[in-house]
Amino acid sequence: MSTTSNLIVSSPHVKYTDDYIFSEYEYNETLVTKKDNEIVAKPYNTSLSIRTGRKIGKVGVMLVGWGGNNGSTFTAAVLANKHQLTWNTKNGQMDSNWLGSITQASTVRLGIDEKGQDVFVTMSKLLPMVHPDDLVIDGWDISPLNLADAMVRAKVIDYDLQQKLRKEMATMRPRPAIYDPDFIAANQADRAVNLIKGTRYEQYLQIRADIKDLRDKNKLDRVIVLWTANTERFCEVTKGVHDTSENLERALRHNNLEISPSTIFALAAIDEGCCYINGSPQNTIVDGVVERAEKMGVFVAGDDFKSGQTKLKSVLVEFLVSAGLKPVSIVSYNHLGNNDGKNLSAPRQFRSKEISKSNVVDDMVASNSELYAPGEKPDHVVVIKYVPYVGDSKRAMDEYTSEILLHGTNTLVVHNTCEDSLLAVPLILDLVVLTDLFCRVFYRKNESEEWSPMHGVLAALGYLLKAPLVPRGAPVDHALGVQRAALADLLRACLALPPAHRMRLEHKIPFLMSDLRSGVMFESSPPPKRQKLTQENGDK
C-alpha cells in the first residue's frame, strides 16, 4: 500500500512514468558580494533534473529504545491508527489520529483556484510517501518487557486503548541492546538486563545481524534505524578516533572507550545500508560516521526531537528578532517525571540536553547584525529537574526578556504543559516517512551525469530536530518558519513547482486582477485531462 493522490502537475517540466517522477527545476538564488561600503547583489540560477522514485516498497523501522515511552507509544499509535480503534475516556469516545505529524496532519499551500483563493493539500499527498499503516516495527531495548507491559509502564496511553492493544503488543519483544554505564546515568542500571554482551565490535556485529534478520524475515526493501533511547553523555571527539571512517572502524575493533553505544548502532546501520536518525542530543554523528554514510549512499540525521516547547521557543525568538526587538535573556525551567527525566537528572546527560536546547537561538541571533555585535548572544540558561509524580506530562516555564526602544525592556513569560511522548511520536513518524522519501530522490545537472542523492547528512529534516546537523561548513537554520518553508519548497521542486510565496500580485496589480477575474489566467494554462492511474503522484 502507498499514499495515493489525485494531484497531477501539468507542465512541460514534469514527466511521469510508472517508476519515476522527473522534474526539470530552475534553482534561483541571489549572490551577494561586499567591497568597502558597497553591496552588490546578482541573480543566480542553475538547472537541475530531479528524479523521484514512485515505488515505495516495504519499509521497516528499528527503534533503539523500543521499550521506552517513545517507542511503546509510537507502536501503539501506529497500531491504533492502522486498526482505526476507538476507546472510551471520561470525556467520551476518542478516535485514532496523527495530530502533530506534519506529513499526515499538516498542509502545504499548492497555489490558487479560479477565484484566487488558496488551495492546500496534505503534505503526504505531494509525493509518494510510505503509509504509516505499512511500517514494519522492531527494535532494541535494555529492558526485556514486551511492548504491552512497556506501554503500561510508560503511563502515556489511555487505559481503555491499552486494553485494545494489549494482545497484539504483548507479542512484540525488544531485541537485546547495548548498556554502557559510562554513557547513560547510573540510575538506569535496574532496567539493564536485556543486553548484548561482548566487545564493542562484537556488539556491532550483533546489531548488523539483527537488522539483517528483520529485513530478510519480512522481505523489506528499506530499514531505517532511529535512536530514541536514553540521552548519552557527549563522547570526547578525538582526532585519530572519530575523524575518519577508517579511524572509527579501527577504534571500534580496538574497543576504544569513547566509541559510544549510539555510534555503534550508527555504524551497524550504515554498514547494513540503512539510514540512521539520532533522536537524542549526543555526539554520535561525528565526521567518521558522515564519511561512512556517504560511502554507503545512505543518510544520517540528528539530533534531538524538536517537540512543542522547542518549537515555541524558536517561534518566539524568531518573532522578537524579526520585529527588531533584542532578546537579551532566555531562561527555561523544565520538570518531568518519565524515564527521560530520570536519566537527565545525572549531570553529564543533562549537559547533552542543555547544549541542544541552547543551539536553538544561535542562527536567529546571527541573522540580525543591527541587534547583536559579533560574538554577542543572549544569556541562555536551561534547567531540567526530575519530578516523578508528573510522569510524561512535562512542565516548562520560559522567560524571554528583550531590550526595546531607548534601552527599555519587555518580558514574556510562557508556561507550557505538554505530554512529552505524544509530542515526540509524530516526529518519529515524520522522520521515518521523509527519510524514506528522500532515499528515492536523486539529482543531476545534465543527462551526461549520473544520478546522485543529497549529501549524506540529511539537513532537510531540520524542522523536526532541535539541533539539526548540516554538512561541514554549511549554515544551520534554526528558525522554525525557515525550516518548514525549506522542506515544503524541496518537495515542490520534485514536481517542478517554484517556491511558495505570498506576494498575491493577482490581488494587487490591476491587469493581473483582471486576468484572474475574467478567467484568462486559467485559460492560458487549461487544467489537464484526467490521466491514467499510473501517472498520478503517490501510486505504486
Side-chain angles (χ1 to χ4, degrees):
M1 179 178 173
S2 67
T3 303
T4 58
S5 169
N6 57 4
L7 170 62
I8 298 171
V9 176
S10 176
S11 167
H13 303 297
V14 178
K15 182 177 74 173
Y16 297 87
T17 70
D18 289 343
D19 294 328
Y20 301 109
I21 302 171
F22 293 94
S23 160
E24 299 299 323
Y25 184 71
E26 286 292 317
Y27 176 66
N28 298 297
E29 186 50 279
T30 301
L31 306 181
V32 181
T33 56
K34 298 178 181 179
K35 185 177 181 180
D36 299 328
N37 292 325
E38 183 179 65
I39 300 175
V40 178
K42 182 175 72 173
Y44 166 85
N45 67 80
T46 188
S47 298
L48 297 175
S49 296
I50 306 175
R51 187 190 74 186
T52 304
R54 302 179 73 187
K55 295 186 176 180
I56 296 170
K58 198 171 182 182
V59 180
V61 53
M62 298 190 78
L63 301 176
V64 188
W66 191 20
N69 283 29
N70 286 347
S72 60
T73 305
F74 175 77
T75 307
V78 169
L79 294 177
N81 279 279
K82 180 177 182 177
H83 301 310
Q84 298 182 356
L85 297 181
T86 61
W87 64 98
N88 293 314
T89 72
K90 65 181 181 181
N91 295 317
Q93 182 172 287
M94 300 296 161
D95 301 315
S96 305
N97 63 49
W98 274 116
L99 295 183
S101 162
I102 61 168
T103 59
Q104 311 302 310
S106 81
T107 58
V108 175
R109 181 181 178 273
L110 190 60
I112 59 172
D113 62 16
E114 293 90 338
K115 296 181 180 180
Q117 299 300 310
D118 288 338
V119 176
F120 295 89
V121 295
T122 309
M123 184 179 286
S124 62
K125 301 298 184 184
L126 279 177
L127 291 164
M129 298 188 194
V130 63
H131 197 287
D133 293 356
D134 299 331
L135 292 172
V136 176
I137 307 172
D138 204 291
W140 304 266
D141 202 280
I142 61 174
S143 167
L145 288 186
N146 66 60
L147 266 291
D149 290 340
M151 172 177 61
V152 172
R153 178 180 61 188
K155 301 179 182 178
V156 175
I157 302 296
D158 286 330
Y159 176 79
D160 192 38
L161 180 56
Q162 287 185 28
Q163 298 309 110
K164 295 189 175 187
L165 292 167
R166 168 165 282 282
K167 183 177 180 180
E168 187 169 4
M169 290 181 65
T171 65
M172 302 175 177
R173 191 175 295 276
R175 300 167 189 262
I178 302 172
Y179 174 66
D180 186 338
D182 184 44
F183 278 89
I184 64 172
N187 58 33
Q188 300 298 303
D190 58 334
R191 288 196 180 206
V193 293
N194 188 43
L195 307 179
I196 303 173
K197 302 294 186 180
T199 66
R200 282 166 167 76
Y201 186 69
E202 289 168 338
Q203 292 169 338
Y204 153 87
L205 292 176
Q206 181 58 55
I207 295 165
R208 289 194 63 175
D210 290 341
I211 296 170
K212 188 176 187 304
D213 176 65
L214 179 72
R215 184 170 53 214
D216 292 348
K217 282 183 177 178
N218 294 276
K219 295 180 169 54
L220 300 177
D221 297 283
R222 185 172 292 109
V223 176
I224 295 168
V225 176
L226 186 146
W227 177 283
T228 182
N230 284 313
T231 298
E232 297 174 339
R233 70 163 173 84
F234 266 62
C235 72
E236 297 297 329
V237 177
T238 307
K239 187 175 182 180
V241 175
H242 302 93
D243 52 346
T244 69
S245 174
E246 182 180 340
N247 287 341
L248 199 55
E249 179 165 346
R250 184 184 301 111
L252 176 69
R253 289 176 180 270
H254 290 170
N255 206 39
N256 187 291
L257 297 181
E258 282 303 314
I259 302 297
S260 66
S262 59
T263 300
I264 298 172
F265 274 100
L267 290 172
I270 291 167
D271 289 349
E272 281 298 316
C274 304
C275 297
Y276 178 83
I277 303 168
N278 185 42
S280 291
Q282 52 225 17
N283 278 359
T284 298
I285 306 178
V286 292
D287 286 348
V289 170
V290 173
E291 181 184 325
R292 204 174 190 92
E294 289 190 272
K295 287 179 179 178
M296 291 296 296
V298 298
F299 294 125
V300 291
D303 57 2
D304 204 2
F305 304 132
K306 185 189 289 180
S307 53
Q309 183 197 5
T310 305
K311 288 182 179 176
L312 180 61
K313 178 182 290 186
S314 177
V315 168
L316 283 172
V317 176
E318 186 179 353
F319 166 76
L320 293 169
V321 172
S322 66
L325 304 178
K326 182 180 180 179
V328 291
S329 171
I330 301 171
V331 180
S332 300
Y333 172 85
N334 311 262
H335 66 268
L336 70 164
N338 58 22
N339 194 57
D340 183 41
K342 184 178 180 180
N343 179 63
L344 290 174
S345 64
R348 292 195 300 174
Q349 285 67 36
F350 164 71
R351 180 57 182 157
S352 293
K353 179 72 74 170
E354 183 180 37
I355 291 171
S356 74
K357 281 180 172 286
S358 298
N359 288 339
V360 171
V361 301
D362 288 353
D363 70 302
M364 283 172 277
V365 169
S367 71
N368 195 326
S369 59
E370 293 295 322
L371 296 180
Y372 297 95
E376 184 183 11
K377 292 183 179 181
D379 292 336
H380 193 179
V381 177
V382 178
V383 178
I384 301 176
K385 294 296 182 182
Y386 177 52
V387 182
Y389 177 79
V390 303
D392 204 64
S393 182
K394 179 181 178 180
R395 272 70 162 172
M397 286 155 279
D398 294 338
E399 179 186 270
Y400 304 83
T401 299
S402 300
E403 188 175 316
I404 59 175
L405 182 69
L406 300 178
H407 303 283
T409 58
N410 174 70
T411 299
L412 297 173
V413 179
V414 179
H415 181 274
N416 178 27
T417 299
C418 57
E419 295 177 90
D420 211 32
S421 298
L422 296 179
L423 285 172
V425 161
L427 304 183
I428 293 175
L429 176 70
D430 291 334
L431 286 164
V432 171
V433 169
L434 290 171
T435 298
D436 172 72
L437 169 64
F438 289 128
C439 286
R440 292 179 277 112
V441 179
F442 289 78
Y443 305 81
R444 68 184 183 188
K445 292 190 72 172
N446 54 63
E447 292 185 359
S448 65
E449 296 182 351
E450 295 292 322
W451 292 101
S452 62
M454 283 189 286
H455 188 275
V457 175
L458 195 51
L461 300 181
Y463 177 78
L464 303 163
L465 297 162
K466 192 173 295 176
L469 292 177
V470 297
R472 180 173 290 277
V476 183
D477 286 322
H478 285 292
L480 198 69
V482 172
Q483 293 173 334
R484 179 62 162 74
L487 175 59
D489 287 340
L490 184 55
L491 301 183
R492 292 172 64 89
C494 295
L495 296 167
L497 296 174
H501 62 77
R502 294 301 180 101
M503 294 176 70
R504 297 193 187 278
L505 296 184
E506 65 278 357
H507 296 289
K508 296 181 175 72
I509 298 175
F511 61 81
L512 291 180
M513 294 169 67
S514 176
D515 285 351
L516 172 64
R517 293 171 186 178
S518 67
V520 170
M521 185 177 289
F522 277 78
E523 288 173 4
S524 62
S525 53
K529 295 180 180 179
R530 290 285 298 176
Q531 300 182 26
K532 62 181 181 180
L533 189 62
T534 56
Q535 289 189 320
E536 292 184 356
N537 297 359
D539 294 331
K540 287 186 178 179

